[in-house]
Structure formats: C-alpha cells, structure tokens
Amino acid sequence: MTPLTLEQLQQYDQQDLLAHKRAEFTLPEQSIYFDGNSLGAMPSCALQRAKDVLERQWSQDLIQSWNSNQWIDLPFKVGEQIGRLIGAGSGQVICCDSTSVNLFKVLSCALLMQPKRTVVLTQQGNFPTDLYMVQGLTRLLGESRCQLVEVPEQGLEQALTSDVAVLMLTQVDFRSGRLLDIQRLTQIAHEQGVLVIVDLAHSAGALPVELDTWQVDFAVGCGYKYLNGGPGAPAFLYAAKRHHAQIHQPLSGWMGHKAPFSFSPQYVKSDGIEQFLTGTPAVISMSVLDAALQVFSDVSMQQIREKSLGLTRCFHQLVQQQAALAELSLITPLKPEERGSQLAYQHPAAYALCQALIKRGVIADFRAPDILRLGFTPLYLRYVDLWQAVEILSDIVVSKEYLKPEYAIRQKVT
Ligand SMILES: *Cc1c(COP(=O)(O)O)cnc(C)c1O
C-alpha cells in the first residue's frame, strides 16, 4: 500500500461534502476532539437556544411557555427528529429520561409480553448499565421472571432457545467498536419468538439505522453522544407501533396518561408513544437537544457513514505507518461492515498515553483495563486532524513523555 501523505488528506478535506458542517460547531481552538462518541461537541445553535429558553421563555413567558413555546410538545417533537435518523416512522420515538431508565421501561414491557419466558439474553461485554438494569429487574421480579444470560457474540444465535424472552443487544460495542448485524439477529430472534431490544448509544447519529425495516421491537439511545445534545441530555426510546396497544410500561407517571390534565385518580395509558413518558420533561436540556439536532437537517446518514469509515480507515493507516506505534494493537474490526465510528487500541500504558494526548490537545478517552479509545465524528473532524493527532501520539511514544508520573494519576472520570 502506498503511504498516506498529508497532501492526500488535504485533498480528502477539499472533496469532503460534509466539510462545511464544522463551522456550525463551537470548538476549542488548538485541540482535536476524538470524544464525540462520549460527549458530542456543541453546535452553536444550541447556545442560542439555551439563551432564548432562559432569557425569554422562562424569565418572561413563564408558565405560559408550556403552550406558547410548545414545551409540552418537546418530547414528541424531539423524538420525531431522532426517529428520522434511526429509520423510525412517525409516532414511534419519544425523548425522555436517561438511556438506563428507558431500558428499564422497555425491558419490563418486553418481559410482560412474554409471560412464559424468563431469560434476557445479551452479548458478553455489553455496557454495564444495560446489565445492571436487568439485574435490578431480577431482584424486583425474582429469578423465575427475569434471568440475565450473557454469551459471546458468536454464540448468540445458538442461545436463542424457547426460554428466552428478550434479546437485548448494543449495536456498537462501547469498548471495541464492533458493529452487530441487527437486521439478521432480529430475524433469527423473531423466528424463535424472542423480542428484540437494541441499545443505539454509539449508533444514533453515527451510522444508518433502520429500525422499522429491521423490525426491531424496542430501542433506546443517548442524546449527548453523536446527537450532540450536551452533557446529560435526555435520551430517547423507540417502540414499534405494532406493540403500542398491548404494552404496559411500569413507570406509569402522569405524563404518560391519556389525559394528564384531567387529573383523574385512575391511570389510563396514552395510546401512542407518549405512554412511555413518566414525569415532567427536562425542558432546558431537551430544548438544547432539539436545537442541536438541526445540524442533521441537511445531511444524510449515508454521507456521515461514508466519511466516518474514511476517517477511521485513514487514522489506522497513519498509525500503521509509524514504526513507533507498533505496540498499539487495534481491537476494532477492520472490515467496514463490522465497525462503528470509533477505533480502540490496546496498550499496557493506555491510560498514561491518553492523559499525555489530552495534555497535548488530542482529546481521546480510556476504557479499563487497557484501551485507548477514539471516536470519529464526521460533522466536525477533518482528515488533516488525523495527521496531526498521529504525529503527536507518535511523538509521545518516542519521547516516552507518557511515562511522566503525572499521567499515571487516575481521574474520577476516564
Ligand atoms: C453511554 C451508554 C449508556 C449510557 O446510559 P445513561 O443512562 O445515559 O448513562 C448506556 N448504554 C450504552 C451501550 C452506552 O454506551
């Protein structure tokens, strides 16, 4: 393979159909951001909206804002916008709560739909909160109603036996970046009478997702990762329309009631996706997410995916071109159809490397025990950024700068 040059990368930037999107973000100068998979960067329109919500809507319009500024419609409106990015037809996505809480709701629903089955099957190494939410349900319901079974990804198909109620999958592995074939797994699960829940934390806004076409039953995902909704942004929940009539989610708060302002003592669930609401929406953060989603209005997920694959391919090629980086071993699959929008490298000193990188303005993160993780966000990363990042990484390794004691100190958030 001919080596990748800086000139070549500059040319890719010139040809990049998404290049103009970077100007829509407010980014720190002198840093290269590889953490959009953990906390997306700030679209400038989000700041404008936050100011408007505080300066005008809240302070001046006060409680009338629920109607006049459509606060009450935010969960549905934001859900519709997210729905377009994940292949969900109208009325199936709602914005609310956190991914963890939404998992609780859909897991409970799915288990209630499967009274004769007990197992929640998932892939080994799934994100801890997904596992913890099932463990919590086991404690609540007892092992005769809910049992978590984790199997290696290659064993999922075989493990789909008649006692499995739910197949709970995370589409893109948060450590390795491995991408699962959800369409295929959903089809196999359905053939065995198993319902499918998909966690789209590292998928929504990063790659094309087709929930309706794939016939997924339920899905959840984060607002603050590739959707750029800001720290602690509310999450989203998808429930296929074919289930709306017969399901019951247990967090039956007043916002999920058919007529919240009738203040009736008896809970009657809303007919549509609103039945998944619980309490009052987080208006400020949901407004910010609503504004942030505008950056997706004139781009397609196919365009984003193409650039994402280009960025990860080029970055890894640059790493391979540096003899000094031979100790970094890629655990992300090289096949495009098997990787999400991140690269994960194993290295014995991954934590120190990451800290040294951050000190030099290359923002990546570390995942225990030994993974240096880089997320690639096509809306604001340039191809030339990859060159600079790999140069800095190589310099840190060659100079052994990462061995400085200050880089060994563990922070609370890694
Ligand atoms: C980031 C992430 C979450 C986060 O859940 P929160 O409730 O928002 O903290 C859940 N699942 C997966 C797979 C994630 O990557």
Side-chain angles (χ1 to χ4, degrees):
M1 208 187 306
T2 49
L4 195 50
T5 61
L6 180 57
E7 291 67 36
Q8 181 69 63
L9 294 166
Q10 284 163 339
Q11 204 179 335
Y12 288 156
D13 279 327
Q14 273 158 20
Q15 296 161 349
D16 176 13
L17 297 173
L18 297 176
H20 65 289
K21 299 303 289 181
R22 181 177 166 89
E24 294 176 30
F25 289 82
T26 305
L27 294 158
E29 276 171 41
Q30 312 300 339
S31 78
I32 306 174
Y33 195 58
F34 290 104
D35 247 330
N37 57 333
S38 209
L39 174 65
M42 186 184 75
S44 307
C45 58
L47 177 62
Q48 294 314 312
R49 179 69 74 86
K51 279 171 73 79
D52 185 50
V53 171
L54 298 179
E55 286 180 357
R56 182 181 61 86
Q57 301 184 13
W58 180 14
S59 75
Q60 301 304 306
D61 299 349
L62 282 166
I63 200 159
Q64 290 99 301
S65 287
W66 285 105
N67 293 309
S68 66
N69 292 310
Q70 291 90 42
W71 287 354
I72 197 68
D73 301 322
L74 276 170
F76 189 82
K77 182 189 172 213
V78 175
E80 289 291 285
Q81 289 195 71
I82 295 171
R84 284 194 282 277
L85 304 179
I86 56 175
S90 183
Q92 301 177 102
V93 180
I94 195 93
C95 180
C96 54
D97 304 313
S98 64
T99 302
S100 304
V101 170
N102 288 338
L103 263 172
F104 180 86
K105 294 182 223 174
V106 295
L107 276 165
S108 312
C109 269
L111 284 170
L112 278 170
M113 289 166 77
Q114 301 271 45
K116 297 203 170 71
R117 298 172 177 230
T118 58
V119 171
V120 176
L121 180 68
T122 195
Q123 79 246 56
Q124 232 164 42
N126 198 350
F127 192 81
T129 210
D130 300 54
L131 307 176
Y132 301 163
M133 295 316 291
V134 180
Q135 290 164 16
L137 272 168
T138 301
R139 235 168 280 121
L140 182 69
L141 304 172
E143 289 208 1
S144 63
R145 280 303 289 119
C146 178
Q147 246 179 311
L148 177 64
V149 174
E150 297 160 75
V151 300
E153 183 210 312
Q154 317 82 275
L156 283 170
E157 212 173 312
Q158 240 186 341
L160 286 165
T161 49
S162 61
D163 55 348
V164 177
V166 184
L167 175 62
M168 176 183 77
L169 299 171
T170 294
Q171 191 186 12
V172 178
D173 185 274
F174 80 105
R175 283 192 193 90
S176 68
R178 175 177 285 279
L179 172 68
L180 296 184
D181 184 344
I182 298 296
Q183 182 164 30
R184 194 181 135 265
L185 288 164
T186 301
Q187 192 188 341
I188 298 165
H190 283 173
E191 281 162 13
Q192 303 302 320
V194 176
L195 291 165
V196 176
I197 296 175
V198 182
D199 187 331
L200 299 172
H202 291 274
S203 316
L207 42 98
V209 173
E210 295 295 342
L211 292 178
D212 287 349
T213 306
W214 300 345
Q215 304 213 317
V216 165
D217 297 287
F218 302 99
V220 295
C222 304
Y224 52 80
K225 292 178 178 169
Y226 292 97
L227 297 180
N228 311 311
F236 64 86
L237 181 156
Y238 164 92
K241 209 161 225 162
R242 61 184 177 279
H243 297 313
H244 287 192
Q246 67 267 33
I247 48 181
H248 295 279
Q249 66 102 349
L251 299 180
S252 45
W254 71 308
M255 283 291 152
H257 193 282
K258 201 181 177 92
F261 288 87
S262 68
F263 296 103
S264 142
Q266 187 60 40
Y267 184 79
V268 181
K269 71 173 192 150
S270 174
D271 294 328
I273 191 68
E274 290 93 340
Q275 65 186 283
F276 282 95
L277 291 177
T278 299
T280 305
V283 170
I284 298 172
S285 51
M286 209 176 287
S287 299
V288 168
L289 171 59
D290 180 40
L293 288 166
Q294 284 170 20
V295 301
F296 289 96
S297 63
D298 61 348
V299 297
S300 74
M301 289 311 304
Q302 271 69 27
Q303 282 178 317
I304 289 177
R305 176 63 170 160
E306 267 174 45
K307 182 172 172 191
S308 157
L309 288 173
L311 290 169
T312 47
R313 178 176 50 78
C314 289
F315 187 92
H316 186 60
Q317 199 182 333
L318 292 173
V319 167
Q320 284 178 304
Q321 283 172 207
Q322 298 278 356
L325 300 181
E327 264 188 51
L328 285 174
S329 89
L330 184 74
I331 59 163
T332 308
L334 277 172
K335 282 191 196 156
E337 65 274 20
E338 289 179 7
R339 74 171 186 266
S341 200
Q342 72 180 61
L343 292 175
Y345 292 94
Q346 258 177 333
H347 189 281
Y351 183 79
L353 276 178
C354 186
Q355 293 305 306
L357 276 173
I358 293 168
K359 192 73 186 265
R360 298 273 301 266
V362 177
I363 318 298
D365 64 19
F366 163 80
R367 285 294 173 263
D370 58 357
I371 294 168
L372 175 66
R373 190 176 75 153
L374 302 111
F376 294 78
T377 39
L379 293 178
Y380 48 87
L381 261 186
R382 297 168 299 205
Y383 283 92
V384 291
D385 293 332
L386 312 181
W387 182 272
Q388 206 188 335
V390 174
E391 288 285 305
I392 291 172
L393 177 58
S394 177
D395 186 54
I396 287 167
V397 171
V398 173
S399 66
K400 300 204 189 306
E401 186 185 326
Y402 68 99
L403 296 175
K404 282 188 189 165
E406 64 186 278
Y407 297 136
I409 301 164
R410 289 286 167 108
Q411 310 255 12
K412 206 165 184 179
V413 175
T414 61

